[in-house]
Amino acid sequence: MARTTDSDLAPQELRVLVAVADSGGFSAAAGTLGLTQSAVSHSVRGSERKIGAVLFERGRTGARPTPAGEQAVAHARRVLRLLDVLTAEARGAARPDAAQGPLRIAAFRSAALHLLPAVLQRLRARHPGIEPRVRIVREVGRGTAGEVADGKADIAIATLGGSVPLPPGLVASGLLDEPYALVHATGHAAPRSLPLVDWAENCGSYTRGWWAAQDWIPKATVEAEDDGAVLSLVSGGHGMAIMPALSLVGAPDSVGITDLGPERPTRQVGYVTTSELAGSAVVRALVRELRATVPRGYGPSQRQGLIGSSGRAA
């Protein structure tokens, strides 16, 4: 039988590291965990000694993870989550199809609005013991995949194939290819002449080559916080936009949508999870419902003329 060594971190030590990182200080972490501040400090010092690195920068305003601390905390979250999964699945071993327990999902806004509701409805119907918790994350930088890498989510609905590499230890699989379209006020005679309305999450590395080759697209003169604000501005005649199809589901009739042609850009939407959680019952249950729902729940039928049959030819 394997024995623990003096360098092994106990689950309670991992919980302390996570609590200090989440609360921003030893005193706040102590309150969260029901410990004294000195007990938290002693635990962190012990973890640092075992790891051989300083994990937190101490200051008057609290404690902030060092680069080594960020790595340690991310792994601590993932290990603690695996311990939760171990307990839940061991208890449910007599009923292997009855997945249960929390399921933490990170998703970007349009996926949370237009993909997840139908998926979660099916999931709850088939697995009432699963408790989904959805967090909406901006799809910029590390995006939703970063939430999984940091141990804050079990699975993410993410855009795949961009220039930001998938963090180590994660696995990904595609669900759908999402086309882009030209969006403008309905009935506008020359939508390409309008100023560009954009937002930080739009396009990115997966469409950069196509975007750079379009000399008719001006530099954005209006920038909005999210795709909902973009649609509102476009509807009001303040400009045109180039938007992915998920953002256009349920767009009002005042928004015209024009196909960008056979060379139109697309982005792949899929899911990301850890290699350890990929085989867990809760993640496998969600993946099954994603794959069963997306082909039926997504497409031009969600709005008449979603892509290519409304608005004037661009």
Side-chain angles (χ1 to χ4, degrees), residues 14 25 31 38 45 47 56 76 80 89 106 160 167 176 223 250 259 261 269 271 289 301 312-314:
L14 300 181
S38 62
R45 286 195 303 270
S47 296
F56 292 95
L80 291 171
E89 296 199 357
L160 308 178
L176 60 91
E223 293 188 2
D259 192 351
V269 177
Y271 66 86
E289 300 310 331
S301 63
R312 299 177 63 92

Side-chain angles (χ1 to χ4, degrees), residues 18 45 83 91 103 134 158 186 228 234 294 310:
V18 172
R45 286 195 303 270
L83 291 175
R91 288 174 177 170
L103 175 62
V134 179
T186 298
V234 167
V294 167
S310 69

Side-chain angles (χ1 to χ4, degrees), residues 15 23 76 80 136-137 139-140 143 151 167 179 189 210 255 269 303:
R15 294 187 183 95
S23 65
L80 291 171
I136 298 177
V137 178
E139 193 67 334
V140 293
W210 177 89
V255 173
V269 177
R303 168 185 161 171

